[in-house]
Amino acid sequence: MIVGSSGRSRLLAAVAALLCGAFFGHGPVAQADPDVQPPGTALIPAGPAQAWIVADMDTGQVIAGQDMDVRHPPASTIKVLLSLVALDELNLDSTVVANQADTQAECSCVGIKPGRTYTARQLLDAVLLVSGNDAANTLADMLGGFDTAVAKMNAKAVALGAVDTHAATPSGLDGPGGTGWTTPRDLAIIFRAAVNNPVFAQVTATPSATFPTDNGDRVIVNEDELLQRYPGALGGKTGFTDAARKTFVAAAQRDGRRLVISMMYGLVVQGGPTYWDQAATLLDWGFAQDRSMAVGTL
């Protein structure tokens, strides 16, 4: 049974993979883990996500995982990393004037209008609640532009210990260099740090917000259905691209305990469990385990 690797060994593995790609002209190759859960615990039912993790938010203990160190494209879950960089650098009341290039993104979009002025807070709402790719581009402008924002996102990932993460774009869409990648473990690390930021925690838990348009403010509704479906949900971030399939990262609390889950490469089958079903199952299973139970650390 593999019980998780140290931060140092993960860093060395990540460097080796990048060097391999540089010399042989291809991207990193995923290395599969076996399923990992504590001996004697109830079997975790299968669901759409092919790779996932359940971990304790406060201790960092990994309670269980499946292919939790396998790389997949992050899709819009990478916007959590963008938001963390923005929260590090920007005043929420600071403003930017959107440009035409910001709107040239595959949607989902919130409806950014070139020439309109937006605050950093409005853009964070749009990025985290409705996954606005256009808003992610505009927020990246505030961080120095597309390339600079992506570089800052990747530096932030390393600083957090998410050393097996590479953002290709601010939004999670495919970029000139490909799809980018992360792992369930790294997504959990990133979201754990994000929820410990009070502003991020407030935004991700917000059921709805308003966003400016030509016809006045309109309501934008949080796409994280777990907020309504699961008692104790603290927030989450959805994602989807053709390459990534469904991705999701979220946190919840119960009886003074906080758990984080991340789910990647979701293949939803008609009539089978939904992504929300699987998320709830993973959280319920995690909360049912003794607090001392662990198979590794984030």
Side-chain angles (χ1 to χ4, degrees):
M1 176 183 291
I2 295 175
V3 295
S5 54
S6 69
R8 183 177 179 183
S9 64
R10 292 181 63 231
L11 178 59
L12 291 173
V15 171
L18 289 171
L19 289 174
C20 179
F23 281 105
F24 296 101
H26 54 71
V29 177
Q31 298 295 319
D33 303 337
D35 299 352
V36 179
Q37 67 179 81
T41 57
L43 184 66
I44 302 172
Q50 307 300 293
W52 51 264
I53 194 171
V54 185
D56 190 295
M57 280 269 294
D58 298 305
T59 67
Q61 291 177 315
V62 176
I63 307 171
Q66 176 174 294
D67 290 345
M68 57 189 168
D69 293 314
V70 173
R71 294 171 176 174
H72 292 287
S76 285
T77 57
I78 207 68
K79 291 183 173 86
V80 176
L81 195 55
L82 172 68
S83 299
L84 277 177
V85 174
L87 288 168
D88 282 347
E89 297 196 7
L90 302 175
N91 184 300
L92 293 177
D93 295 324
S94 58
T95 61
V96 63
V97 178
N99 60 58
Q100 186 65 42
D102 296 338
T103 67
Q104 295 173 352
E106 181 182 344
C107 291
S108 59
C109 297
V110 72
I112 292 291
K113 182 177 180 180
R116 182 183 293 278
T117 299
Y118 299 93
T119 67
R121 175 54 192 264
Q122 289 168 337
L123 296 173
L124 278 171
D125 287 344
V127 163
L128 292 175
L129 270 62
V130 295
S131 206
N133 295 329
D134 50 355
N137 290 340
T138 307
L139 193 59
D141 290 343
M142 301 185 78
L143 297 170
F146 184 102
D147 292 339
T148 299
V150 169
K152 290 178 177 179
M153 291 165 67
N154 288 320
K156 182 67 174 179
V158 172
L160 293 174
V163 297
D164 212 2
T165 293
H166 177 75
T169 64
S171 65
L173 292 173
D174 297 355
T179 62
W181 64 84
T182 190
T183 67
R185 187 195 300 266
D186 272 18
L187 264 186
I189 290 170
I190 293 166
F191 199 74
R192 179 192 186 198
V195 173
N196 284 327
N197 180 295
V199 176
F200 182 97
Q202 190 274 328
V203 174
T204 193
T206 299
S208 64
T210 58
F211 194 79
T213 72
D214 286 341
N215 300 315
D217 289 348
R218 73 176 178 90
V219 175
I220 55 175
V221 177
N222 198 323
E223 293 180 344
D224 174 17
E225 294 185 22
L226 211 63
L227 284 174
Q228 284 74 47
R229 290 171 176 254
Y230 195 84
L234 296 172
K237 184 70 197 75
T238 59
F240 177 85
T241 64
D242 288 342
R245 312 311 297 170
K246 280 185 172 291
T247 61
F248 185 55
V249 61
Q253 62 183 357
R254 181 185 297 173
D255 297 330
R257 190 181 194 188
R258 300 190 303 167
L259 298 183
V260 59
I261 60 167
S262 64
M263 300 157 49
M264 303 196 74
Y265 207 73
L267 304 171
V268 178
V269 177
Q270 187 172 6
T274 68
Y275 233 46
W276 311 118
D277 294 334
Q278 186 176 15
T281 295
L282 292 175
L283 287 167
D284 282 344
W285 183 92
F287 283 124
Q289 306 312 307
D290 188 271
R291 291 173 185 254
S292 65
M293 200 74 73
V295 297
T297 58
L298 290 175

